[in-house]
Amino acid sequence: MAQEVLPVKAPKTSKPLRRRHRTGDSWMPILTLAPSIGLLAIFVYGFIGWSGYVSFTNWNSFIPTLTWAGFRNYVTVLTSFRFQSDLRNIFFFTILFILGVLVVGLILALLIDQKIRAESLFRSIFIFPMAISFVVTGVIWSWLLNPTTGVNLILKSLGIPGPQWFLSTRFVPTIHLGQLSIGIPIALLAVVLAAVWQMSGFSMAVYLGGLRAIPEELKEAARMDGASAWRTFWSVIFPNLKGTTATIVVVEAAASLKVFGLIYAMTGAGQDFTTDMPNLNMFQTTFSGDAFAQGAAIAMLLLLLMAAFTVPYVLSVLRGER
Amino acid sequence: MRLKRKVAMALTSVVAIGALSACGSTPSKTPAASGPKKLQIFSWWTGVASSKALNSLIGVFNKKYPGIKVINEAVAGGAGSNAKAVLASRMEANNPPGTFQVHAGGGTLLSWINAGYMAPLNSLYKQQGWYQDFPKSLLKMLTVKGNIYAVPVDMQRSNVLWYNPAIFKKYNLTPPTTFSQFFADAKVLKAHNITPLAVANHGNWETTLLYSDVLLGTLGPTQYENLLTGKAGTSWTSPGVVQATKTFLKMMQYANTDYSALHWQQADQMVAQGKAAMNVMGDWAQGYFTTALNLKPGTGFGWAATPGSQGTFAMVSDVFGLPAKLSNKTATKDFLKVLGSKAGQDTFNPLKGTFSPRLDANTSLYDAYSRSAMASFKKDQLVLVIGQGAANPGFTQAFENDMVTLLSSKNATAFTTAVESAAQSNPL
Amino acid sequence: MVMRRINRTLVYGALIVAAILYLLPVYVVVITSLKSNASVSLAQMWNFPTHASFASLRAAWAQLAPNFGNSFYLAIPATLFSAALGALNGYALTKWKFRGANVLFFVILMGLFIPYQSVLIPLLRVMDSLGLYNSIPGLILVHTVYGIPITTLIFRNFYSLIPDDILEAAKIDGTGYWGIFRHIILPLSMAGFVVAGIWQFTQVWNNFLFAVSLTNPPNQPVTVALVNIAGSQTVQWNVQMASALLVSLPTLVVYIVLGKYFVRGLLAGAVKG
């Protein structure tokens, strides 16, 4: 059985305890969970219900007009150029961000796991960006990635022409779908870079934990010189990190949906909405435009979107445990 | 064993229950909206100058009303957008602050009034003699159906072209008064590798302000106002608006390309450092030039009305009102009395870098720039700016979204069509 | 042997390059906070200050100091409460599998994905009716509640790695639900608490949205003061960077001091009998 670190998936060996002597204890787990469930019932599900209700009303000014509007707000939101851009952006952002965090975290963890000196120093350096708030990260990186003054100055002195970063309006590839350009917005890469910088320490730490749990002989084999090391890694080490990877994916996916602070401080909606996100759109629609019902519709769509991605995944993991 | 278990059980449940009850029963509750002798003042004044100004105003108030404890609730960020979110949430939850900052005009203020969240102040105005103390055209922007709803505390101008006098002198140019002159100047400047127009748009409102000024300069104040107040017969697809949009797009060709990354201060810094020649910004830029960059009005930086807008004063005025759902209104009214008074305004404005909209304001308290602005304010026609109080929030938000698309598509007719439909779904 | 030495050099080379890249932003923050307001500009962002000035750090501290206490008063209890609830939930979900355990876990986990911006208005109403609007205890409650999903996830994963055999033995001894938790699970939980604690402390400390929406001065946490320094009209970059530095210090200390245990905590979860 693979040793997993923080796996979402519990090892198959763990059997539930059978209730034998103390039948009174059988209610204990439920009682233990009750306060949490009760609080979440109000603060998560109650509020979602409230948003859902509002999203079907005409409350699009300060006057709380709670008359039934049907799907009108949803139609308005779904047909808006901004929301369509948001869907494209959050799709690419989440994928690129998670990939980036996994790859960078794994590389760093592998490097640190090479029995190096000053290990704790390196670990601290890679992990410390997590301590900084997204808002601060946003300001710093908007400086660093300013095309005329930031890292491009350094690249220029090395003779490399730097990209336009978050000012770019290019898409790779560019596929036109009506008004909308489908492709990875280059500008979004700047945001991904900042987010990966901030969050890769977490994946590094989790992967490091995972690597340390792998028996030394296996790693020793992988550490051997030559081509075999590469193959050993993929056939022996990597499969052992599956559970670890799953944990990182869940935690970072949740984090990626909350990049609000980073985007807000770094780029805002960006040129041509290249760095806009549904929650930024929702915030502005609700509180700058006072369109509460439309904002609620965006929130509901965002939740549906998240559910579409996470529910099947979580369910499959839970099913796998049985 | 049994006892031990019981103790352990008790301990653990103490942790769990303690976690909940500590949250539920702590006594440090502050009664939210103005208790008997407390007054919450809600604003987005957190910058160095504005918070200093607000605190000195509170000082004047406390001297007169020592029994009331003022709580300064300033919320920062995004030119008031965070503050708006917090305020909207509180108003909807029937938990308004004692009084709050809002821009004069048909924007958020009008929406609050229409929603019944504001109480009229007619008797306070009469009692204080304010109907005579402020220009009629300003009070008109605070009045709905004969009721007046707010007290103005400061005045700012938003159709100002800031420029670098050294650059203009070096290339023998004069600050443009018309658009054709602007483009003539811009050509010369560009030939000398100077960015003619510094533009910032990090907050997404800056280009909207520039556009408003171009629209004003193209249509003239009367047509501009008719359009923004939704007078019958006006349309955003009219030739005048299309022409203004094209002029705006042409001006953007002479701007720095990294505008979407810059805060307005950074655009003004480009002007101050001679990297760019001009910038269109509200006169809050003046405070930045003088206090942050230590420049002298006239020599370090120059100013003029934006092209085509001479004789018009595009105003941004912070006003405070009385929330209707407030249980105890006396403290707020007392504060508004100080806020509207000559003494209060003469203390507040010089510190904030704005000027008092009262007709009897003491001009000797202000610097050269503000004195010139005060003179224009008294004689010019007053108009409002999109994004700074001219139009309702729904329209403004839609307009700013369309502006993002315009800046990349550069399609003037698509833009005007989109704005016209925004005006129809959010009647002006 | 030669290959090995080359490999070592490559490993250290890669690590040093990565470390420099990770520290680059910090360099900018530090030198900017040591500059005077007039000498801060994007064009000179890489340049060393001509002379170090601590004025901005002092100015930042003057504005932040009153709010630091609030943040500690908020972050410590909120972290402890959500970690405690997470531990209890994790225990109940893994060691006493009952019908519907997975459903309940799913219900809890989904709380991780709620966009906070969308719940401000109802949240304000609920807090107001509880009499907790504008109070740190109110914020503690909110952060505790929204921390439950992640701490439950952490502890559930963590406890699922503790072999059930030990528990079975205790059960045969007649040890009950709380006895097992207290005597067997809790002593093994230190590492889980470190991981959940670090995560929650960082989240709570750095949160701005709830802080600004649910509290008024003087009850506001330090993040609000930080954003207030940014100002709405005049941004003093040096003071802003200095305050960013100061605000990040407590979380940095937590990471540096506990970082070792963080990795060890993740590790400990994997060491099973």
Side-chain angles (χ1 to χ4, degrees):
Chain A
M1 184 63 218
Q3 284 95 336
E4 291 163 343
V5 179
L6 275 181
V8 168
K9 208 176 132 177
K12 290 201 178 70
T13 50
S14 78
K15 268 179 281 147
L17 288 178
R18 263 158 293 145
R19 301 177 286 273
R20 271 175 224 157
H21 310 290
R22 305 171 49 86
T23 41
D25 279 352
S26 63
W27 284 101
M28 274 303 171
I30 309 261
L31 279 180
T32 313
L33 291 167
S36 298
I37 300 279
L39 287 170
L40 293 174
I42 301 168
F43 283 81
V44 173
Y45 295 97
F47 292 175
I48 290 175
W50 183 88
S51 287
Y53 169 62
V54 169
S55 72
F56 287 105
T57 69
N58 285 309
W59 185 12
N60 282 320
S61 74
F62 283 132
I63 308 162
T65 323
L66 294 174
T67 51
W68 186 253
F71 282 93
R72 181 143 24 99
N73 294 308
Y74 287 90
V75 173
T76 312
V77 168
L78 284 168
T79 52
S80 80
F81 175 66
R82 183 168 183 180
F83 188 75
Q84 292 168 2
S85 308
D86 294 347
L87 287 182
R88 171 199 65 208
N89 296 346
I90 196 160
F91 176 76
F92 286 117
F93 178 84
T94 305
I95 288 181
L96 292 172
F97 169 67
I98 290 178
L99 269 181
V101 164
L102 289 176
V103 170
V104 173
L106 183 57
I107 291 175
L108 291 177
L110 284 170
L111 286 171
I112 286 186
D113 199 36
Q114 301 300 309
K115 296 204 164 90
I116 55 156
R117 254 174 253 172
E119 182 191 313
S120 65
L121 172 72
F122 281 114
R123 233 169 34 199
S124 299
I125 290 175
F126 299 136
I127 222 169
F128 90 93
M130 276 183 72
I132 299 168
S133 92
F134 262 142
V135 178
V136 176
T137 308
V139 173
I140 305 171
W141 281 89
S142 71
W143 284 29
L144 288 174
L145 298 182
N146 185 303
T148 46
T149 53
V151 285
N152 278 11
L153 274 186
I154 298 177
L155 291 178
K156 202 170 144 193
S157 67
L158 298 172
I160 308 164
Q164 282 295 299
W165 298 114
F166 55 83
L167 298 179
S168 167
T169 47
R170 283 183 50 214
F171 298 89
V172 180
T174 318
I175 300 155
H176 290 285
L177 194 81
Q179 216 186 344
L180 195 69
S181 307
I182 307 276
I184 303 171
I186 298 291
L188 202 57
L189 291 179
V191 184
V192 171
L193 201 62
V196 169
W197 174 77
Q198 176 144 39
M199 295 304 295
S200 52
F202 175 77
S203 53
M204 183 271 296
V206 179
Y207 269 133
L208 196 57
L211 284 170
R212 293 280 156 87
I214 296 172
E216 202 47 40
E217 315 85 69
L218 286 179
K219 283 198 285 186
E220 202 46 50
R223 214 174 274 128
M224 279 191 353
D225 310 326
S228 66
W230 188 245
R231 206 178 306 151
T232 324
F233 173 77
W234 284 113
S235 56
V236 181
I237 309 277
F238 194 67
N240 269 303
L241 294 174
K242 254 189 194 155
T244 316
T245 307
T247 301
I248 300 174
V249 169
V250 169
V251 174
E252 304 281 18
S256 90
L257 294 167
K258 295 183 179 149
V259 284
F260 180 81
L262 177 66
I263 303 254
Y264 196 60
M266 190 171 168
T267 57
Q271 293 198 46
D272 209 15
F273 297 122
T274 43
T275 60
D276 196 37
M277 289 286 157
N279 44 8
L280 184 61
N281 186 355
M282 178 211 324
F283 188 72
Q284 292 187 336
T285 304
T286 311
F287 293 115
S288 299
D290 303 329
F292 296 93
Q294 259 175 50
I298 299 177
M300 294 314 286
L301 288 168
L302 184 58
L303 275 168
L304 277 179
L305 201 71
M306 273 181 249
F309 279 101
T310 49
V311 170
Y313 175 74
V314 173
L315 284 182
S316 78
V317 169
L318 288 176
R319 205 166 293 138
E321 281 176 14
R322 284 213 193 111
Chain B
M1 191 65 193
R2 207 150 246 277
L3 181 72
K4 232 181 176 178
R5 192 190 314 133
K6 273 200 176 139
V7 172
M9 188 171 159
L11 273 178
T12 351
S13 33
V14 161
V15 172
I17 295 162
L20 299 167
S21 61
C23 305
S25 67
T26 333
S28 79
K29 182 207 170 189
T30 330
S34 68
K37 303 229 155 171
K38 273 186 186 159
L39 174 68
Q40 299 177 326
I41 300 172
F42 190 92
S43 71
W44 56 86
W45 284 330
T46 55
V48 179
S50 43
S51 60
K52 206 190 279 174
L54 179 59
N55 284 329
S56 72
L57 181 69
I58 292 172
V60 175
F61 173 76
N62 274 339
K63 230 176 254 165
K64 250 187 130 169
Y65 301 94
I68 301 170
K69 188 178 166 14
V70 173
I71 301 162
N72 175 3
E73 290 186 9
V75 172
S81 59
N82 290 336
K84 272 199 67 181
V86 175
L87 183 64
S89 309
R90 288 185 57 176
M91 295 287 259
E92 297 298 350
N94 287 329
N95 182 9
T99 184
F100 59 88
Q101 176 188 10
V102 65
H103 283 147
T108 315
L109 175 65
L110 184 63
S111 306
W112 287 130
I113 296 171
N114 287 340
Y117 284 112
M118 309 299 293
L121 296 168
N122 298 18
S123 56
L124 189 70
Y125 263 76
K126 217 172 279 164
Q127 182 201 342
Q128 300 294 313
W130 286 340
Y131 283 118
Q132 281 71 49
D133 289 340
F134 295 98
K136 293 250 162 345
S137 48
L138 169 59
L139 296 186
K140 199 182 80 189
M141 294 176 182
L142 310 170
T143 306
V144 176
K145 292 181 190 138
N147 285 330
I148 191 156
Y149 285 95
V151 182
V153 64
D154 62 11
M155 185 51 66
Q156 287 161 294
R157 187 178 198 182
S158 58
N159 59 328
V160 188
L161 179 85
W162 306 95
Y163 62 91
N164 181 316
I167 293 178
F168 273 75
K169 204 169 163 197
K170 189 172 172 194
Y171 300 110
N172 247 332
L173 300 172
T174 48
T177 54
T178 64
F179 288 113
S180 57
Q181 218 181 328
F182 173 88
F183 290 119
D185 286 357
K187 245 175 231 150
V188 176
L189 292 161
K190 199 171 188 178
H192 289 94
N193 269 331
I194 289 168
T195 306
L197 184 69
V199 175
N201 201 32
H202 187 274
N204 230 7
W205 54 269
E206 298 92 333
T207 46
T208 299
L209 188 142
L210 173 63
Y211 181 89
S212 288
D213 286 339
V214 175
L215 190 65
L216 172 65
T218 311
L219 297 179
T222 314
Q223 264 197 62
Y224 171 86
E225 203 184 47
N226 288 346
L227 183 68
L228 279 172
T229 48
K231 278 252 167 69
T234 57
S235 163
W236 287 86
T237 51
S238 65
V241 183
V242 175
Q243 191 203 328
T245 309
K246 285 182 174 154
T247 308
F248 168 79
L249 287 172
K250 195 173 166 196
M251 283 171 89
M252 289 304 290
Q253 291 173 5
Y254 290 100
N256 48 303
T257 49
D258 60 351
Y259 55 85
S260 72
L262 299 190
H263 293 258
W264 66 265
Q265 290 95 339
Q266 291 166 309
D268 283 321
Q269 197 176 32
M270 287 172 71
V271 175
Q273 291 172 340
K275 285 191 196 108
M278 297 174 271
N279 170 245
V280 171
M281 187 41 64
D283 58 12
W284 41 90
Q286 197 251 146
Y288 178 69
F289 284 130
T290 51
T291 43
L293 303 179
N294 292 317
L295 298 175
K296 287 226 156 52
T299 50
F301 64 96
W303 63 90
T306 54
S309 75
Q310 296 77 13
T312 309
F313 189 99
M315 58 162 256
V316 180
S317 176
D318 295 303
V319 302
F320 285 78
L322 178 62
K325 293 192 176 154
L326 209 59
S327 49
N328 185 345
K329 299 192 170 74
T330 334
T332 303
K333 282 186 185 162
D334 288 342
F335 180 74
L336 291 179
K337 280 179 206 163
V338 174
L339 184 95
S341 70
K342 182 165 154 58
Q345 303 210 343
D346 281 348
T347 310
F348 177 85
N349 284 292
L351 287 171
K352 183 162 180 281
T354 50
F355 67 84
S356 164
R358 286 179 64 105
L359 292 165
D360 59 354
N362 183 354
T363 51
S364 69
L365 294 168
Y366 300 94
D367 69 3
Y369 168 76
S370 294
R371 279 203 300 273
S372 84
M374 286 169 100
S376 323
F377 170 68
K378 279 174 194 161
K379 63 177 170 42
D380 289 0
Q381 185 169 346
L382 300 185
V383 295
L384 293 156
V385 172
I386 306 168
Q388 314 280 329
N392 67 65
F395 173 81
T396 307
Q397 182 63 37
F399 185 94
E400 285 179 356
N401 284 350
D402 296 335
M403 176 56 70
V404 171
T405 316
L406 173 70
L407 286 170
S408 61
S409 77
K410 311 208 166 25
N411 186 335
T413 47
F415 171 74
T416 52
T417 314
V419 174
E420 174 62 25
S421 85
Q424 267 156 23
S425 44
N426 305 275
L428 291 163
Chain C
M1 244 0 234
V2 180
M3 275 302 281
R4 180 136 235 169
R5 197 163 304 145
I6 293 172
N7 274 349
R8 296 309 283 172
T9 322
L10 277 178
V11 165
Y12 279 109
L15 277 171
I16 288 167
V17 169
I20 290 174
L21 289 177
Y22 271 70
L23 289 173
L24 215 54
V26 189
Y27 167 78
V28 175
V29 173
V30 173
I31 59 163
T32 308
S33 60
L34 292 177
K35 286 176 183 173
S36 66
N37 195 27
S39 60
V40 177
S41 78
L42 271 177
Q44 271 116 46
M45 63 179 274
W46 296 110
N47 298 2
F48 232 69
T50 42
H51 58 275
S53 133
F54 292 93
S56 52
L57 276 167
R58 239 175 284 129
W61 176 248
Q63 289 192 60
L64 295 174
N67 300 81
F68 258 97
N70 289 338
S71 276
F72 281 110
Y73 174 35
L74 160 69
I76 294 171
T79 304
L80 291 179
F81 291 160
S82 49
L85 284 174
L88 289 171
N89 293 345
Y91 171 59
L93 287 169
T94 50
K95 295 300 160 214
W96 295 79
K97 285 250 171 174
F98 50 94
R99 194 186 291 269
N102 277 347
V103 176
L104 287 184
F105 174 58
F106 183 78
V107 165
I108 293 175
L109 191 64
M110 280 298 113
L112 202 56
F113 296 97
I114 187 169
Y116 299 142
Q117 294 84 16
S118 69
V119 302
L120 286 184
I121 293 176
L123 182 62
L124 226 83
R125 285 193 182 163
V126 168
M127 297 315 277
D128 202 31
S129 58
L130 289 176
L132 288 173
Y133 175 78
N134 188 21
S135 69
I136 297 286
L139 267 189
I140 294 175
L141 174 66
V142 170
H143 282 293
T144 303
V145 173
Y146 289 118
I148 289 173
I150 184 81
T151 54
T152 303
L153 172 69
I154 290 172
F155 278 104
R156 183 182 179 275
N157 293 334
F158 189 75
Y159 288 154
S160 68
L161 295 165
I162 296 178
D164 290 335
D165 325 0
I166 312 173
L167 278 75
E168 287 288 354
K171 283 207 72 176
I172 291 162
D173 273 0
T175 316
Y177 184 83
W178 294 110
I180 291 174
F181 182 69
R182 167 69 184 82
H183 296 291
I184 299 171
I185 300 292
L186 215 50
L188 292 171
S189 303
M190 219 36 239
F193 274 101
V194 169
V195 177
I198 288 189
W199 183 272
Q200 265 309 91
F201 185 82
T202 316
Q203 295 296 313
V204 177
W205 184 273
N206 286 333
N207 178 282
F208 171 70
L209 190 74
F210 290 145
V212 77
S213 314
L214 296 175
T215 53
N216 306 320
N219 294 328
Q220 290 174 322
V222 73
T223 36
V224 180
L226 172 69
V227 177
N228 280 352
I229 286 175
S232 45
Q233 295 203 328
T234 308
V235 182
Q236 292 177 296
W237 294 110
N238 53 343
V239 180
Q240 203 185 334
M241 289 295 165
S243 34
L245 205 61
L246 290 177
V247 170
S248 307
L249 280 182
T251 40
L252 275 180
V253 168
V254 167
Y255 271 91
I256 288 168
V257 173
L258 293 179
K260 189 161 57 186
Y261 301 98
F262 189 58
V263 177
R264 206 178 287 165
L266 296 166
L267 235 166
V271 182
K272 31 182 228 171

